[in-house]
Amino acid sequence: MATNTGNGHRIGSVKDRTQTHNPKNDTYVKRDTDTGRFIDVKSDGTPFKGVAQETDKRRK
């Protein structure tokens, strides 16, 4: 798991999670890499902190 520092950032990325941008409603969606299910949607339009983008291939 990622380690919270208390300074507004994390060290490392969250395991078994990826995120992708939904351009239709301009939100970010968090996905479980094991099952492929969507977990959470962030409504403010900014990406989740510490979660790998699907396009950067850090997670499979």
Side-chain angles (χ1 to χ4, degrees):
M1 244 357 193
T3 304
N4 292 329
T5 62
N7 297 324
H9 62 90
R10 292 187 175 106
I11 297 174
S13 61
V14 177
K15 295 179 181 179
D16 300 325
R17 303 284 188 268
T18 58
Q19 66 180 331
T20 187
H21 184 256
N22 182 351
K24 193 165 192 170
N25 55 10
D26 197 36
T27 58
Y28 281 85
V29 181
K30 190 169 15 173
R31 183 193 310 245
D32 185 350
T33 56
D34 294 334
T35 62
R37 294 179 132 188
F38 293 116
I39 299 171
D40 196 10
V41 177
K42 194 156 184 203
S43 61
D44 64 359
T46 59
F48 290 96
K49 292 194 295 186
V51 180
Q53 295 283 336
E54 288 190 1
T55 57
D56 68 6
K57 306 299 186 230
R58 285 190 284 170
R59 301 283 179 246
K60 296 191 189 276

